């Protein structure tokens, strides 16, 4: 199908909501303002079209305002598949299974933290392992001697393992998507190579676009919701944002199952537009095995972010010589953006079980959703949108409209506009560091190149990207957050 | 002949390259070198840890994926990167590799990016102008 033909078929059916003609089993829907919509690369539509042709896809092949070219499907994409008739695809979920965001609040103000920001970031950099080949530090003694039984427990129990070991509280658990454990995880479905890679990397940040950032609130768009989440309760409140995933454990599980699914597709004479889209029927043995292995990686990732949270709490204690309680270091929310999960949604007026694939897309449930508890029942699910270290990030909340329109899904970040290779050519490292310093952002990174690749110029304008979803009524802005310190791998 | 080229207008969030070789063995070796150079900014590293492994598959494309995955396993599990590599691919798609690796700790000042995985996206081995080439997209 001609991409120009597809592009010209889009009509704006509601504010920032663009629907194409049918491009396979379903049309494409894009959530974006006119400016972002015009700039979406042709290959994004090509990839969304390939996905629209997959069996059992329901509604639309969805693109969010942060969408950009990925492998297999774009990043910033969601597809929901009928659990009875549809498929599951490890290539769509991608290699960093349950890559996700976590936001942690503090009781501290910018005035208190800023004078010690260098000491804090240096301490965090020392304590939180980051970068290629980084290993866990001594703050989590269990990590030195992880054996297969431990990996089994981590994979199947998720955050409950961390609670048992004293690295998480029951309160933490209540603020994590799925309460930190996908219960259908089955460790026997994970390869030995995945265990080898995972054991070495638990409790580490990684590199690429993974980061840990100390931020402050720049703008409050919804004080009622912010206050209910214990945010913007003091002037210039400081928060911490964390972005990382399942590390080598998830990467290996994805590689193993893509290879296995390609054989499944060959055996079943399935022609793929792109081999990265290798899939199996959801209810097949292969499909179910992947679901169980993927859940292990998702649980590992929840634990990974939890162990880093433990390291963050220790770094704060060390720097400010205060107790965790005094500093109010509590999780606001932890949310995944690379998963395939079974969820119940309304399709044509009936409750249906769908396999919701989110690739660079965030679950976004509205108020009163049965999956939410406590204060989240009234605020809606927090959605954490990580931006570049230069331009800031957002906290949003989900809406009922999103549940009805986009199977409770929204964007995940600001979205790249420039490849890493091009960023190395265009962005000057020293200039970038100077500019960050001028803005009062103290950055520690293992690699100047890594920093360059993540420069603000490589990303879309996050304000436009987030406003696109807000104005479409899908996820609503609560806070804009700006960095004061950042650690990159 | 260039060993590989990095593609600046593709793979927005990741890194794509095309590896070249006068034969299949050389193309695989050059793809491995691209993976090393993407991660480590230090050319003249010989490596002193002997490495030997074998991987098998049922096509050259899937063999290349398995081969790069094996290199990534060394990086994540043994903390070794592989700057120097020799491969010998047999007709039954079995690859025998002998290489020299270097401990990551010795190269920590030269890290650029971590490669998470090799994707199947648009991966196709072609013959062109007397050379064998393959486009590879790496997840970063």
């Amino acid at each position: 199908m001609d991409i120009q033909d597809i592009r010209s078929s889009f009509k704006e059916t509601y504010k920032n909501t663009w629907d194409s003609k049918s491009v396979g089993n379903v049309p494409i829907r894009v959530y974006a303002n006119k400016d972002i919509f015009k700039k979406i690369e042709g290959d994004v539509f090509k990839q969304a079209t390939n996905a629209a042709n997959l069996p059992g896809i329901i509604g639309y092949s969805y693109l969010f305002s942060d969408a950009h070219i990925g492998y297999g499907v774009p990043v910033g994409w969601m597809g929901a598949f009928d659990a009875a008739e549809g498929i599951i695809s490890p290539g769509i979920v991608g290699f960093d299974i349950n890559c996700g965001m976590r936001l942690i609040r503090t009781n501290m103000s910018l005035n208190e933290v800023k004078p010690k920001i260098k000491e804090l970031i240096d301490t965090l950099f020392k304590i939180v392992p980051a970068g290629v080949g980084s290993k866990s530090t001594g703050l989590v003694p269990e990590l030195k001697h992880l054996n297969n039984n431990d990996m089994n427990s981590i994979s199947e129990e998720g955050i409950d393992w961390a609670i048992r070991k004293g690295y998480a509280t029951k309160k933490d658990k209540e603020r994590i998507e799925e309460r930190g454990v996908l219960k259908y995880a089955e460790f026997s479905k994970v390869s030995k190579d995945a265990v080898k890679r995972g054991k070495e990397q638990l409790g580490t940040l990684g590199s690429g676009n993974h980061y840990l950032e100390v931020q402050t609130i720049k703008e409050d768009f919804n004080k009622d919701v912010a206050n209910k989440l214990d945010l913007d309760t003091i002037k210039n409140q400081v928060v911490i944002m964390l972005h990382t995933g399942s590390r080598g454990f998830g990467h290996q599980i994805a590689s193993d199952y893509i290879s296995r699914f390609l054989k499944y597709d060959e055996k079943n004479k399935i022609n793929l537009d792109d081999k990265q889209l290798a899939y199996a029927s959801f209810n097949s043995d292969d499909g179910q095995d992947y679901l169980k292995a993927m859940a292990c990686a998702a649980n590992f990732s929840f634990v990974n972010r939890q162990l880093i949270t433990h390291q963050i709490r220790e770094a704060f204690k060390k720097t400010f010589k205060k107790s965790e309680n005094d500093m109010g270091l509590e999780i606001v929310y932890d949310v995944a953006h690379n998963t395939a999960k079974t969820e119940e949604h309304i399709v044509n007026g009936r409750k249906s079980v769908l396999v919701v694939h989110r690739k660079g897309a965030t679950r976004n449930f509205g108020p009163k959703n049965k999956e939410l508890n406590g204060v989240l029942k009234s605020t809606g699910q927090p959605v954490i949108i990580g931006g570049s270290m230069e331009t800031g990030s957002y906290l949003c909340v989900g809406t009922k409209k999103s549940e009805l329109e986009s199977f409770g899904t929204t964007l995940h970040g600001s979205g790249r506009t420039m490849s890493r290779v091009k960023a190395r050519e265009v962005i000057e490292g020293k200039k970038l560091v100077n500019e960050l310093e001028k803005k009062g952002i103290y950055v520690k990174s293992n690699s100047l190149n890594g920093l360059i690749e993540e420069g603000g110029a490589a990303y879309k304008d996050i304000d436009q990207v987030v406003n696109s979803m807000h104005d479409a009524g899908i996820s609503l802005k609560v806070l804009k957050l700006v960095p004061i310190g950042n650690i990159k791998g | 002949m260039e060993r590989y080229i990095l593609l600046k207008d593709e793979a927005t969030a990741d890194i794509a390259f095309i590896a070249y070789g006068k034969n299949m063995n050389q193309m695989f070796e050059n793809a491995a070198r691209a993976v090393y150079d993407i991660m480590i900014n230090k050319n003249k590293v010989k490596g002193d840890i002997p490495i030997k492994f074998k991987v098998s598959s049922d096509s050259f494309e899937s063999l290349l994926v398995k081969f790069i995955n094996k290199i990534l396993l060394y990086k994540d599990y043994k903390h070794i990167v592989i700057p120097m590599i020799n491969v010998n691919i047999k007709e039954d798609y079995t690859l025998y590799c002998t290489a020299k690796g270097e401990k990551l700790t010795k190269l920590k000042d030269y890290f650029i990016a971590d490669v998470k995985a090799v994707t199947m996206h648009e991966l196709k081995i072609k013959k062109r102008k007397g050379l064998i080439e393959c486009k590879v997209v790496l997840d970063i």
Side-chain angles (χ1 to χ4, degrees):
Chain A
M1 197 173 275
D2 180 54
I3 296 303
Q4 195 46 48
D5 194 33
I6 293 171
R7 194 189 281 275
S8 57
S9 77
F10 277 96
K11 289 194 169 57
E12 192 173 16
T13 53
Y14 182 74
K15 194 169 173 58
N16 297 345
T17 308
W18 306 79
D19 292 346
S20 77
K21 65 179 182 182
S22 180
V23 294
N25 296 326
V26 292
I28 300 169
R29 170 168 283 184
V30 181
Y31 289 106
N33 69 18
K34 204 172 269 181
D35 189 38
I36 292 173
F37 178 77
K38 274 187 199 162
K39 289 177 187 162
I40 293 175
E41 305 105 311
D43 277 355
V44 169
F45 291 126
K46 188 178 156 192
Q47 292 182 336
T49 300
N50 289 342
N53 281 280
L54 292 171
I57 190 165
I58 303 276
Y60 296 88
S61 176
Y62 288 88
L63 293 166
F64 301 96
S65 50
D66 55 344
H68 60 79
I69 301 167
Y71 45 82
V73 296
V75 177
W77 178 90
M78 186 277 289
F81 296 83
D82 182 275
E85 309 282 329
I87 57 113
I88 188 163
S89 169
I92 289 181
V93 174
F95 296 95
D96 203 353
I97 296 165
N98 187 6
C99 184
M101 307 293 303
R102 179 173 285 205
L103 187 69
I104 301 164
R105 69 173 295 284
T106 74
N107 280 339
M108 303 167 89
S109 72
L110 187 63
N111 283 348
E112 195 175 353
V113 175
K114 189 79 181 174
K116 285 196 158 193
I117 190 66
K118 285 194 175 181
E119 187 187 337
L120 174 65
I121 291 294
D122 289 346
T123 307
L124 283 164
F125 195 67
K126 214 169 158 184
I127 287 179
V128 181
V132 186
S134 58
K135 292 177 88 170
S136 332
T137 52
L139 280 179
V140 186
E142 281 82 356
L143 297 181
K144 280 188 181 165
H145 310 287
L146 278 182
N147 58 30
N148 262 19
N149 287 339
D150 298 320
M151 285 295 284
N152 190 331
S153 302
I154 290 161
S155 297
E156 294 188 356
E157 294 174 37
I159 214 69
D160 292 328
W161 176 89
I163 293 174
R164 243 180 340 103
K165 298 288 178 182
Y167 299 116
T169 63
K170 286 183 179 166
K171 206 170 168 188
D172 290 339
K173 181 181 163 87
E174 295 305 313
R175 290 299 182 94
I176 301 174
E177 180 174 344
E178 302 284 345
R179 293 181 178 84
V181 55
L182 296 182
K183 289 183 176 157
Y184 39 86
E186 207 175 303
F187 187 63
S188 64
K189 306 301 178 189
V190 172
S191 73
K192 284 179 184 161
D193 281 351
V195 175
K196 281 179 186 172
R197 288 178 77 174
K199 267 202 282 199
E200 295 295 313
Q201 296 192 326
L202 187 60
T204 67
L205 192 62
S207 69
N209 61 353
H210 292 165
Y211 63 86
L212 191 172
E213 198 161 86
V214 181
Q215 305 171 332
T216 187
I217 296 168
K218 189 184 178 193
E219 206 173 344
D220 187 339
F221 304 96
N222 189 335
K223 198 158 173 60
D224 177 48
V225 168
N227 287 169
K228 281 180 178 163
L229 295 171
D230 257 344
L231 292 166
D232 205 17
T233 48
I234 50 172
K235 202 181 171 196
N236 296 325
Q237 189 172 5
V238 166
V239 296
I240 304 122
M241 190 174 278
L242 173 61
H243 179 214
T244 187
S246 52
R247 314 286 287 112
F249 190 57
H251 311 165
Q252 189 63 43
I253 288 170
S255 297
D256 292 339
Y257 277 90
I258 290 168
S259 170
R260 179 167 156 186
F261 277 33
L262 283 169
K263 289 195 177 93
Y264 172 98
D265 292 338
E266 200 180 326
K267 195 174 140 196
N268 289 285
K269 297 188 170 47
I270 293 166
N271 286 322
L272 297 165
D273 292 311
D274 181 346
K275 283 186 176 174
Q276 189 64 29
L277 292 174
Y279 64 79
S281 161
F282 177 67
N283 286 319
S284 66
D285 290 345
D286 297 80
Q288 289 298 301
D289 283 357
Y290 170 65
L291 182 75
K292 291 165 186 169
M294 185 216 64
C296 288
N299 292 342
F300 178 98
S301 185
F302 287 133
V303 173
N304 192 39
R305 289 196 286 276
Q306 187 63 41
L307 295 181
I308 293 174
T309 301
H310 171 71
Q311 293 162 344
I312 290 168
R313 285 169 168 160
E314 292 303 311
F316 268 76
K317 281 194 253 179
K318 204 170 170 192
T319 307
F320 295 101
K321 315 274 186 283
K322 281 183 166 186
S323 74
E324 210 173 292
N325 277 347
D326 284 344
M327 289 183 285
L329 291 159
E330 301 284 358
I331 299 169
V332 177
Y333 206 64
D334 178 302
V335 72
H337 50 233
N338 288 348
T339 53
K341 293 196 312 184
T342 49
E343 289 173 3
E344 204 173 72
H345 289 278
I346 306 290
V347 179
N348 298 327
R350 289 174 56 189
K351 277 186 186 173
S352 304
V353 178
L354 304 179
V355 188
V356 183
H357 288 62
R358 297 189 175 100
K359 173 65 187 178
T362 309
R363 196 186 76 171
N364 182 50
F365 288 166
K368 295 183 185 165
N369 187 291
K370 65 180 169 64
E371 295 295 323
L372 304 178
N373 54 342
V375 73
L376 306 186
K377 270 256 190 266
S378 70
T379 60
Q381 181 213 300
V383 174
I384 303 154
I385 312 298
S388 82
M389 61 195 153
E390 287 183 90
T391 51
S393 301
Y394 278 86
L395 178 71
C396 300
V397 282
T399 62
K400 197 47 86 185
K401 185 173 191 266
S402 169
E403 288 179 21
L404 298 172
E405 263 191 29
S406 63
F407 301 117
T409 308
T410 190
L411 80 170
H412 86 306
S414 56
R416 288 187 76 93
T417 55
M418 194 187 287
S419 77
R420 292 175 181 279
V421 177
K422 198 167 183 179
R424 287 181 199 173
E425 266 184 28
V426 173
I427 300 171
E428 285 177 49
K430 280 186 183 168
K431 201 175 159 195
L432 173 64
V433 174
N434 286 341
E435 277 169 10
L436 289 169
E437 260 182 37
K438 270 187 211 162
K439 287 181 184 170
I441 307 165
Y442 179 60
V443 180
K444 285 282 275 188
S445 173
N446 278 311
S447 154
L448 185 62
N449 265 311
L451 205 63
I452 289 166
E453 289 171 15
E454 293 299 320
Y459 284 88
K460 295 183 193 183
D461 176 345
I462 192 163
D463 298 331
Q464 275 204 52
V465 168
V466 172
N467 283 334
S468 288
M469 301 309 300
H470 179 92
D471 293 343
I474 297 297
S475 45
L476 303 178
K477 293 188 291 182
V478 179
L479 296 173
K480 180 166 186 183
L481 306 161
V482 288
I484 54 170
N486 180 303
I487 290 176
K488 282 196 176 295
Chain B
M1 181 195 76
E2 285 186 274
R3 298 169 84 172
Y4 65 86
I5 55 163
L6 297 177
L7 303 173
K8 64 178 172 187
D9 293 320
E10 297 199 32
T12 319
D14 303 296
I15 291 185
F17 66 86
I18 299 175
Y20 301 98
K22 287 177 185 159
N23 52 48
M24 199 61 79
N25 287 344
Q26 196 179 47
M27 191 278 284
F28 271 61
E29 287 165 0
N30 289 341
R33 181 66 197 199
V35 173
Y36 169 84
D37 287 340
I38 285 164
M39 292 194 290
I40 306 289
N41 185 22
K42 192 176 186 191
N43 278 328
K44 291 173 184 171
V45 177
K46 284 187 178 169
D48 54 7
I49 305 165
I51 289 166
K52 263 190 178 185
F53 63 79
K54 182 180 101 170
V55 280
S56 300
S57 197
D58 50 13
S59 71
F60 285 120
E61 277 90 359
S62 61
L63 186 65
L64 182 65
V65 169
K66 278 193 168 179
F67 170 60
I68 296 175
N69 257 326
K70 191 80 177 172
I71 292 169
L72 299 179
L73 180 64
Y74 269 89
K75 182 252 308 169
D76 286 348
Y77 174 49
K78 296 191 170 172
H79 305 284
I80 292 170
V81 285
I82 309 177
M84 303 289 286
I85 204 155
N86 288 299
V87 304
N88 184 3
I89 303 168
K90 303 292 184 190
E91 277 180 9
D92 65 349
Y93 304 112
T94 300
L95 177 153
Y96 295 87
C97 169
T98 52
K100 289 280 177 68
E102 185 79 316
K103 273 278 178 194
L104 267 169
T105 45
K106 287 190 184 174
L107 297 168
K108 65 180 173 56
D109 295 332
Y110 303 96
F111 295 156
I112 310 174
D114 193 6
V115 175
K116 289 177 186 167
V118 52
T119 78
M120 294 296 299
H121 182 60
E122 295 179 353
L123 189 132
K124 184 86 191 154
I125 296 175
K126 292 180 198 163
K127 279 186 183 169
R128 207 164 67 94
K129 295 180 182 173
L131 294 175
I132 293 175
E133 63 175 52
C134 186
K135 179 177 156 185
V136 178
V137 178
L138 299 173
D139 187 359
I140 300 295

